[in-house]
Amino acid sequence: MRIGIVCYPTYGGSGVLATELGKALADKGHQVHFITYQQPVRLNAFHANIYYHEVQVPTYPLFDFPPYESALSSTMVDVILNNNLDLLHVHYAIPHASTAYLAKQIVAKQGKRIPFITTLHGTDITLVGKDKTYAPVVTFSINESDAITAVSDNLRDETYKSFRIEKDINVIYNFVDTHRFRRRELPHFRNAIAPNGEKIMLHVSNFRKVKRVPDVVSIFRRVREQMPVKLLLVGDGPDRPGIESMARECNLCGDIRFVGKQEQLEDVMSISDLFILPSEYESFGLAALEAMAAQVPVISSNAGGLPEVNINGQTGYTSPVGDVDAMAANVLRIFNDTAMLERLRAGALAQAQRFHIDNIIPQYEALYERTLEGTLAESL
Ligand code: GMT
């Protein structure tokens, strides 16, 4: 198949998932065309079946807000027609679903039929999309999608609750390449972070409010009062300066390392003992899944789709949002019980295998086939 993928190219989970999906489809022989305003972060190697089309958004003195959506739809039209694409798969509803709808209408006028699939990822539904500034367009363009997917049961249910959706939403979970994220011994790296054999706690995110990064520091402070431990903070975003101040005020700077955005996440996961994800909401929690593949148990909130991924007592522990006392108590319980840590490690890996890339990609391929058959039947 010739597939166009539209996503945010940044470090957000939706862009990471879309890029990994495109790479996996290309490995299976499909021709994949990424249409984005920047090279996606995980699209970092040449592949014969992968093409990258950059969306250019020219400025003009009249524009206080350059019309990105128009530029994106026009680029989609260009790529669809010049590469004879079979379908478009857009990730994150805003504004990708409405731009895909427009592109589909434009190429239809030129006799080209192309279906588009929208994958809902999380905040496009639960935070931004619900806002009345966007809701009518989001509802319309989701309903106009030829197929819709959500990354967890929770996100599917939230979508039906928040919008008047008239179609089936297919749940296709996030996935992980368990071979790439497998745990490896990296003694030099581990030693550099924890020279005295301290345990290592890890948090990875884009430091947005929804991630509740201050809770990570509060949990760490409670654990640090009881035992020597280190905290690795990976990623960057609007809340980072506040977190740095908080670390200074709590006198924790010596034990917290801010390592910024990292591409080799698998190495960071490999040297960590626990992954901390206290989010206000998480449709799925892709970073937690990648940690589990590296045998890192997860201490998380029980918000959104997290309990579908992090199984209480098997792969880690979940607690109500904001209950930093419970989360810290769970960290201490695990760090003080080697047998429990080993059991949770094995549980985390077993759970990650359920979401193995090889189990999930065929679900997307099957959906593509069904959608193309539907488009063909409509045209007869
Ligand atoms: O908010 C983020 O962390 C980024 C966001 C995105 O859409 O880029 O991530 C969402 O999509 C991921 C991939 O499907 C999910 O694993 C994340 O749970 C989800 N984030 C939220 O729901 C907050």
Side-chain angles (χ1 to χ4, degrees):
M1 267 177 250
R2 291 178 297 271
I3 303 156
I5 291 187
V6 179
C7 64
Y8 283 103
T10 53
Y11 281 84
S14 61
V16 167
L17 189 97
T19 310
E20 296 295 351
L21 171 63
K23 283 158 50 176
L25 290 166
D27 281 343
K28 295 188 86 172
H30 300 286
Q31 199 181 89
V32 178
H33 294 260
F34 282 95
I35 306 168
T36 56
Y37 61 79
Q38 239 174 47
Q39 177 105 357
V41 280
R42 286 214 189 165
L43 194 61
N44 43 17
F46 174 78
H47 194 301
N49 290 338
I50 293 182
Y51 298 79
Y52 166 58
H53 309 270
E54 192 159 298
V55 181
Q56 305 284 345
V57 192
T59 53
Y60 184 67
L62 190 64
F63 300 153
D64 279 339
F65 304 98
Y68 170 65
E69 281 90 334
S70 298
L72 178 57
S73 285
S74 298
T75 311
M76 285 182 190
V77 168
D78 183 66
V79 176
I80 294 166
L81 295 175
N82 286 320
N83 298 281
N84 196 19
L85 295 192
D86 297 310
L87 66 82
L88 277 176
H89 186 175
V90 303
H91 292 261
Y92 205 90
I94 307 168
H96 300 148
S98 56
T99 48
Y101 170 76
L102 184 57
K104 175 179 164 166
Q105 300 307 319
I106 295 170
V107 299
K109 290 272 181 210
Q110 300 179 42
K112 167 79 181 167
R113 295 180 79 96
I114 184 164
F116 75 95
I117 295 174
T118 301
T119 289
L120 311 172
H121 279 274
T123 50
D124 46 351
I125 295 302
T126 57
L127 211 65
V128 199
K130 261 195 214 167
D131 191 291
K132 73 177 183 356
T133 329
Y134 299 114
V137 174
V138 172
T139 311
F140 174 82
S141 52
I142 292 176
N143 278 321
E144 288 297 325
S145 305
D146 295 279
I148 311 158
T149 79
V151 300
S152 64
D153 294 342
N154 173 270
L155 185 60
R156 180 198 54 205
D157 298 348
E158 287 298 321
T159 310
Y160 282 128
K161 259 192 251 162
S162 305
F163 302 90
R164 284 165 155 253
I165 301 301
E166 297 145 5
K167 288 187 171 162
D168 283 347
I169 300 178
N170 305 269
V171 173
I172 304 185
Y173 295 114
N174 284 180
F175 56 83
V176 64
D177 180 345
T178 52
H179 183 70
R180 172 174 161 200
F181 279 89
R182 76 189 187 283
R183 195 170 188 87
R184 287 178 302 133
E185 290 306 317
L186 299 168
H188 295 301
F189 185 16
R190 194 176 166 113
N191 240 357
I193 302 296
N196 301 307
E198 298 93 336
K199 289 276 192 275
I200 300 175
M201 293 163 62
L202 170 68
H203 172 77
V204 179
S205 78
N206 43 26
F207 284 61
R208 282 193 265 142
K209 195 167 165 274
V210 69
K211 301 291 177 180
R212 293 185 70 100
V213 191
D215 283 6
V216 177
V217 178
S218 298
I219 296 163
F220 177 70
R221 185 158 61 87
R222 284 163 173 72
V223 176
R224 179 72 193 80
E225 279 163 11
Q226 305 294 324
M227 64 187 291
V229 62
K230 300 284 182 185
L231 174 63
L232 271 178
L233 290 173
V234 179
D236 207 348
D239 282 359
R240 180 166 162 181
I243 297 298
E244 287 182 14
S245 309
M246 190 177 171
R248 265 193 303 274
E249 280 153 26
C250 301
N251 217 6
L252 291 170
C253 288
D255 294 312
I256 300 183
R257 279 288 280 270
F258 291 83
V259 293
K261 292 172 179 167
Q262 293 286 316
E263 281 186 25
Q264 289 296 102
L265 263 184
E266 50 273 45
D267 290 353
V268 184
M269 305 276 186
S270 270
I271 63 154
S272 300
D273 297 300
L274 281 180
F275 188 82
I276 315 294
L277 194 61
S279 306
E280 183 84 36
Y281 179 81
E282 205 66 60
S283 64
F284 185 94
L286 178 59
L289 178 63
E290 291 180 338
M292 284 182 192
Q295 299 179 42
V296 184
V298 176
I299 297 297
S300 72
S301 70
N302 57 9
L306 280 170
E308 295 173 55
V309 184
N310 184 19
I311 310 296
N312 212 19
Q314 279 181 36
T315 62
Y317 286 97
T318 59
S319 308
V321 174
D323 194 344
V324 290
D325 286 327
M327 293 184 207
N330 284 329
V331 173
L332 282 164
R333 209 144 56 101
I334 298 169
F335 280 167
N336 286 317
D337 184 342
T338 310
M340 180 188 266
L341 177 58
E342 288 305 319
R343 184 174 56 74
L344 292 172
R345 272 190 177 166
L349 178 59
Q351 173 74 338
Q353 301 286 9
R354 274 190 58 213
F355 301 100
H356 192 284
I357 189 166
D358 292 347
N359 297 333
I360 306 293
I361 302 301
Q363 297 178 32
Y364 279 113
E365 287 178 294
L367 180 67
Y368 293 169
E369 300 280 359
R370 290 202 300 277
T371 309
L372 283 174
E373 278 162 21
T375 306
L376 192 67
E378 271 172 31
S379 68
L380 295 175

PDB file of all heavy atoms in Angstrom, residues 12-15 17 92 121-123 151 174 206 208 210-211 281-286, ligand 1:
ATOM      1  N   GLY A  12       6.315  14.448  21.408  1.00  0.00           N
ATOM      2  CA  GLY A  12       5.046  13.972  21.974  1.00  0.00           C
ATOM      3  C   GLY A  12       4.772  12.528  21.587  1.00  0.00           C
ATOM      4  O   GLY A  12       5.244  12.045  20.551  1.00  0.00           O
ATOM      5  N   GLY A  13       3.986  11.851  22.431  1.00  0.00           N
ATOM      6  CA  GLY A  13       3.702  10.436  22.216  1.00  0.00           C
ATOM      7  C   GLY A  13       3.040  10.135  20.886  1.00  0.00           C
ATOM      8  O   GLY A  13       3.324   9.103  20.257  1.00  0.00           O
ATOM      9  N   SER A  14       2.168  11.038  20.407  1.00  0.00           N
ATOM     10  CA  SER A  14       1.454  10.743  19.158  1.00  0.00           C
ATOM     11  C   SER A  14       2.423  10.714  17.978  1.00  0.00           C
ATOM     12  O   SER A  14       2.310   9.841  17.104  1.00  0.00           O
ATOM     13  CB  SER A  14       0.335  11.759  18.917  1.00  0.00           C
ATOM     14  OG  SER A  14       0.862  13.057  18.793  1.00  0.00           O
ATOM     15  N   GLY A  15       3.379  11.658  17.980  1.00  0.00           N
ATOM     16  CA  GLY A  15       4.353  11.705  16.890  1.00  0.00           C
ATOM     17  C   GLY A  15       5.294  10.515  16.936  1.00  0.00           C
ATOM     18  O   GLY A  15       5.657   9.939  15.903  1.00  0.00           O
ATOM     19  N   LEU A  17       4.597   7.548  18.214  1.00  0.00           N
ATOM     20  CA  LEU A  17       3.872   6.346  17.798  1.00  0.00           C
ATOM     21  C   LEU A  17       3.678   6.315  16.280  1.00  0.00           C
ATOM     22  O   LEU A  17       3.878   5.288  15.629  1.00  0.00           O
ATOM     23  CB  LEU A  17       2.522   6.260  18.501  1.00  0.00           C
ATOM     24  CG  LEU A  17       1.901   4.903  18.220  1.00  0.00           C
ATOM     25  CD1 LEU A  17       2.155   3.940  19.352  1.00  0.00           C
ATOM     26  CD2 LEU A  17       0.455   4.994  17.872  1.00  0.00           C
ATOM     27  N   TYR A  92      -3.562  12.441  15.838  1.00  0.00           N
ATOM     28  CA  TYR A  92      -3.935  13.598  16.666  1.00  0.00           C
ATOM     29  C   TYR A  92      -4.962  14.396  15.851  1.00  0.00           C
ATOM     30  O   TYR A  92      -4.648  14.916  14.779  1.00  0.00           O
ATOM     31  CB  TYR A  92      -2.725  14.462  17.026  1.00  0.00           C
ATOM     32  CG  TYR A  92      -2.908  15.269  18.291  1.00  0.00           C
ATOM     33  CD1 TYR A  92      -2.545  14.744  19.537  1.00  0.00           C
ATOM     34  CD2 TYR A  92      -3.453  16.554  18.251  1.00  0.00           C
ATOM     35  CE1 TYR A  92      -2.698  15.498  20.700  1.00  0.00           C
ATOM     36  CE2 TYR A  92      -3.610  17.303  19.408  1.00  0.00           C
ATOM     37  CZ  TYR A  92      -3.230  16.772  20.631  1.00  0.00           C
ATOM     38  OH  TYR A  92      -3.383  17.525  21.768  1.00  0.00           O
ATOM     39  N   HIS A 121      -5.322  10.385  20.094  1.00  0.00           N
ATOM     40  CA  HIS A 121      -4.204  10.022  20.974  1.00  0.00           C
ATOM     41  C   HIS A 121      -4.384  10.391  22.431  1.00  0.00           C
ATOM     42  O   HIS A 121      -3.764   9.791  23.301  1.00  0.00           O
ATOM     43  CB  HIS A 121      -2.899  10.629  20.445  1.00  0.00           C
ATOM     44  CG  HIS A 121      -2.302   9.827  19.346  1.00  0.00           C
ATOM     45  ND1 HIS A 121      -1.465   8.751  19.577  1.00  0.00           N
ATOM     46  CD2 HIS A 121      -2.441   9.907  18.009  1.00  0.00           C
ATOM     47  CE1 HIS A 121      -1.107   8.218  18.428  1.00  0.00           C
ATOM     48  NE2 HIS A 121      -1.684   8.903  17.452  1.00  0.00           N
ATOM     49  N   GLY A 122      -5.161  11.401  22.728  1.00  0.00           N
ATOM     50  CA  GLY A 122      -5.291  11.745  24.154  1.00  0.00           C
ATOM     51  C   GLY A 122      -5.777  13.154  24.337  1.00  0.00           C
ATOM     52  O   GLY A 122      -6.976  13.432  24.326  1.00  0.00           O
ATOM     53  N   THR A 123      -4.820  14.086  24.451  1.00  0.00           N
ATOM     54  CA  THR A 123      -5.219  15.470  24.754  1.00  0.00           C
ATOM     55  C   THR A 123      -5.995  16.105  23.596  1.00  0.00           C
ATOM     56  O   THR A 123      -6.683  17.104  23.806  1.00  0.00           O
ATOM     57  CB  THR A 123      -3.977  16.320  25.082  1.00  0.00           C
ATOM     58  OG1 THR A 123      -2.998  16.129  24.065  1.00  0.00           O
ATOM     59  CG2 THR A 123      -3.382  15.914  26.426  1.00  0.00           C
ATOM     60  N   VAL A 151      -6.347   4.918  21.224  1.00  0.00           N
ATOM     61  CA  VAL A 151      -5.229   4.109  21.705  1.00  0.00           C
ATOM     62  C   VAL A 151      -5.528   3.330  22.991  1.00  0.00           C
ATOM     63  O   VAL A 151      -4.658   2.616  23.493  1.00  0.00           O
ATOM     64  CB  VAL A 151      -3.926   4.937  21.858  1.00  0.00           C
ATOM     65  CG1 VAL A 151      -3.506   5.540  20.525  1.00  0.00           C
ATOM     66  CG2 VAL A 151      -4.094   6.035  22.913  1.00  0.00           C
ATOM     67  N   ASN A 174      -1.276   1.343  21.826  1.00  0.00           N
ATOM     68  CA  ASN A 174       0.126   1.689  21.555  1.00  0.00           C
ATOM     69  C   ASN A 174       0.947   0.393  21.543  1.00  0.00           C
ATOM     70  O   ASN A 174       0.514  -0.625  22.092  1.00  0.00           O
ATOM     71  CB  ASN A 174       0.694   2.582  22.657  1.00  0.00           C
ATOM     72  CG  ASN A 174       0.241   4.044  22.592  1.00  0.00           C
ATOM     73  OD1 ASN A 174       0.638   4.845  23.420  1.00  0.00           O
ATOM     74  ND2 ASN A 174      -0.585   4.393  21.622  1.00  0.00           N
ATOM     75  N   ASN A 206       6.976  15.456  28.468  1.00  0.00           N
ATOM     76  CA  ASN A 206       7.193  16.774  27.857  1.00  0.00           C
ATOM     77  C   ASN A 206       6.928  17.894  28.858  1.00  0.00           C
ATOM     78  O   ASN A 206       6.657  19.020  28.466  1.00  0.00           O
ATOM     79  CB  ASN A 206       6.337  16.919  26.595  1.00  0.00           C
ATOM     80  CG  ASN A 206       4.946  16.381  26.828  1.00  0.00           C
ATOM     81  OD1 ASN A 206       4.454  16.347  27.960  1.00  0.00           O
ATOM     82  ND2 ASN A 206       4.285  15.959  25.773  1.00  0.00           N
ATOM     83  N   ARG A 208       4.571  18.946  30.709  1.00  0.00           N
ATOM     84  CA  ARG A 208       3.366  19.769  30.650  1.00  0.00           C
ATOM     85  C   ARG A 208       2.554  19.524  31.911  1.00  0.00           C
ATOM     86  O   ARG A 208       2.731  18.508  32.593  1.00  0.00           O
ATOM     87  CB  ARG A 208       2.557  19.412  29.396  1.00  0.00           C
ATOM     88  CG  ARG A 208       3.165  20.032  28.151  1.00  0.00           C
ATOM     89  CD  ARG A 208       2.217  19.960  27.004  1.00  0.00           C
ATOM     90  NE  ARG A 208       2.466  18.798  26.179  1.00  0.00           N
ATOM     91  CZ  ARG A 208       1.512  18.057  25.611  1.00  0.00           C
ATOM     92  NH1 ARG A 208       0.253  18.337  25.805  1.00  0.00           N
ATOM     93  NH2 ARG A 208       1.832  17.041  24.864  1.00  0.00           N
ATOM     94  N   VAL A 210      -0.322  18.485  32.537  1.00  0.00           N
ATOM     95  CA  VAL A 210      -1.057  17.216  32.624  1.00  0.00           C
ATOM     96  C   VAL A 210      -0.186  16.087  33.196  1.00  0.00           C
ATOM     97  O   VAL A 210      -0.686  15.101  33.745  1.00  0.00           O
ATOM     98  CB  VAL A 210      -1.650  16.859  31.226  1.00  0.00           C
ATOM     99  CG1 VAL A 210      -0.552  16.493  30.242  1.00  0.00           C
ATOM    100  CG2 VAL A 210      -2.717  15.789  31.283  1.00  0.00           C
ATOM    101  N   LYS A 211       1.145  16.251  33.110  1.00  0.00           N
ATOM    102  CA  LYS A 211       2.064  15.199  33.580  1.00  0.00           C
ATOM    103  C   LYS A 211       2.313  15.249  35.092  1.00  0.00           C
ATOM    104  O   LYS A 211       2.886  14.325  35.648  1.00  0.00           O
ATOM    105  CB  LYS A 211       3.416  15.307  32.849  1.00  0.00           C
ATOM    106  CG  LYS A 211       3.315  15.178  31.344  1.00  0.00           C
ATOM    107  CD  LYS A 211       2.932  13.773  30.937  1.00  0.00           C
ATOM    108  CE  LYS A 211       2.752  13.666  29.435  1.00  0.00           C
ATOM    109  NZ  LYS A 211       2.384  12.333  28.994  1.00  0.00           N
ATOM    110  N   TYR A 281      -3.944  12.925  33.541  1.00  0.00           N
ATOM    111  CA  TYR A 281      -4.630  12.065  32.573  1.00  0.00           C
ATOM    112  C   TYR A 281      -3.571  11.481  31.648  1.00  0.00           C
ATOM    113  O   TYR A 281      -2.586  12.138  31.327  1.00  0.00           O
ATOM    114  CB  TYR A 281      -5.667  12.834  31.730  1.00  0.00           C
ATOM    115  CG  TYR A 281      -6.328  11.916  30.724  1.00  0.00           C
ATOM    116  CD1 TYR A 281      -7.370  11.078  31.112  1.00  0.00           C
ATOM    117  CD2 TYR A 281      -5.867  11.823  29.409  1.00  0.00           C
ATOM    118  CE1 TYR A 281      -7.941  10.178  30.211  1.00  0.00           C
ATOM    119  CE2 TYR A 281      -6.431  10.926  28.508  1.00  0.00           C
ATOM    120  CZ  TYR A 281      -7.471  10.116  28.914  1.00  0.00           C
ATOM    121  OH  TYR A 281      -8.025   9.220  28.024  1.00  0.00           O
ATOM    122  N   GLU A 282      -3.822  10.263  31.214  1.00  0.00           N
ATOM    123  CA  GLU A 282      -2.924   9.610  30.261  1.00  0.00           C
ATOM    124  C   GLU A 282      -3.813   8.651  29.487  1.00  0.00           C
ATOM    125  O   GLU A 282      -4.415   7.758  30.080  1.00  0.00           O
ATOM    126  CB  GLU A 282      -1.845   8.861  31.047  1.00  0.00           C
ATOM    127  CG  GLU A 282      -0.548   8.609  30.354  1.00  0.00           C
ATOM    128  CD  GLU A 282       0.254   9.866  30.028  1.00  0.00           C
ATOM    129  OE1 GLU A 282       0.616  10.604  30.948  1.00  0.00           O
ATOM    130  OE2 GLU A 282       0.509  10.086  28.832  1.00  0.00           O
ATOM    131  N   SER A 283      -3.930   8.847  28.175  1.00  0.00           N
ATOM    132  CA  SER A 283      -4.807   7.942  27.421  1.00  0.00           C
ATOM    133  C   SER A 283      -4.252   6.518  27.454  1.00  0.00           C
ATOM    134  O   SER A 283      -4.996   5.543  27.482  1.00  0.00           O
ATOM    135  CB  SER A 283      -4.934   8.404  25.975  1.00  0.00           C
ATOM    136  OG  SER A 283      -3.665   8.328  25.340  1.00  0.00           O
ATOM    137  N   PHE A 284      -2.942   6.410  27.441  1.00  0.00           N
ATOM    138  CA  PHE A 284      -2.287   5.101  27.429  1.00  0.00           C
ATOM    139  C   PHE A 284      -1.015   5.141  28.278  1.00  0.00           C
ATOM    140  O   PHE A 284      -0.898   4.438  29.273  1.00  0.00           O
ATOM    141  CB  PHE A 284      -1.956   4.689  25.987  1.00  0.00           C
ATOM    142  CG  PHE A 284      -1.379   3.307  25.878  1.00  0.00           C
ATOM    143  CD1 PHE A 284      -2.183   2.203  25.612  1.00  0.00           C
ATOM    144  CD2 PHE A 284      -0.010   3.088  26.049  1.00  0.00           C
ATOM    145  CE1 PHE A 284      -1.634   0.916  25.542  1.00  0.00           C
ATOM    146  CE2 PHE A 284       0.535   1.817  25.976  1.00  0.00           C
ATOM    147  CZ  PHE A 284      -0.281   0.736  25.722  1.00  0.00           C
ATOM    148  N   GLY A 285      -0.046   5.958  27.862  1.00  0.00           N
ATOM    149  CA  GLY A 285       1.222   6.044  28.605  1.00  0.00           C
ATOM    150  C   GLY A 285       2.311   5.273  27.869  1.00  0.00           C
ATOM    151  O   GLY A 285       2.886   4.323  28.411  1.00  0.00           O
ATOM    152  N   LEU A 286       2.608   5.721  26.636  1.00  0.00           N
ATOM    153  CA  LEU A 286       3.591   5.016  25.807  1.00  0.00           C
ATOM    154  C   LEU A 286       4.958   4.910  26.489  1.00  0.00           C
ATOM    155  O   LEU A 286       5.613   3.863  26.428  1.00  0.00           O
ATOM    156  CB  LEU A 286       3.720   5.730  24.451  1.00  0.00           C
ATOM    157  CG  LEU A 286       4.729   5.170  23.455  1.00  0.00           C
ATOM    158  CD1 LEU A 286       4.411   3.716  23.107  1.00  0.00           C
ATOM    159  CD2 LEU A 286       4.774   6.024  22.185  1.00  0.00           C
TER     160      LEU A 286
HETATM  161  O1  GMT B   1       0.632  14.539  26.160  1.00  0.00           O
HETATM  162  C1  GMT B   1       1.521  13.836  25.728  1.00  0.00           C
HETATM  163  O2  GMT B   1       2.301  13.209  26.415  1.00  0.00           O
HETATM  164  C2  GMT B   1       1.716  13.762  24.259  1.00  0.00           C
HETATM  165  C3  GMT B   1       0.555  13.096  23.656  1.00  0.00           C
HETATM  166  C4  GMT B   1       0.522  13.278  22.210  1.00  0.00           C
HETATM  167  O3  GMT B   1      -0.562  13.108  21.683  1.00  0.00           O
HETATM  168  O4  GMT B   1       1.507  13.632  21.555  1.00  0.00           O
HETATM  169  O5  GMT B   1       0.566  11.722  24.065  1.00  0.00           O
HETATM  170  C5  GMT B   1      -0.626  11.014  24.008  1.00  0.00           C
HETATM  171  O6  GMT B   1      -0.431  10.008  23.031  1.00  0.00           O
HETATM  172  C6  GMT B   1       0.409   8.904  23.389  1.00  0.00           C
HETATM  173  C7  GMT B   1       0.513   7.963  22.188  1.00  0.00           C
HETATM  174  O7  GMT B   1      -0.727   7.485  21.801  1.00  0.00           O
HETATM  175  C8  GMT B   1      -0.173   8.217  24.628  1.00  0.00           C
HETATM  176  O8  GMT B   1       0.610   7.100  24.984  1.00  0.00           O
HETATM  177  C9  GMT B   1      -0.184   9.249  25.759  1.00  0.00           C
HETATM  178  O9  GMT B   1      -0.752   8.641  26.907  1.00  0.00           O
HETATM  179  C10 GMT B   1      -1.019  10.452  25.368  1.00  0.00           C
HETATM  180  N1  GMT B   1      -0.902  11.502  26.392  1.00  0.00           N
HETATM  181  C11 GMT B   1      -1.953  11.884  27.125  1.00  0.00           C
HETATM  182  O10 GMT B   1      -3.058  11.370  27.044  1.00  0.00           O
HETATM  183  C12 GMT B   1      -1.695  12.971  28.111  1.00  0.00           C
END
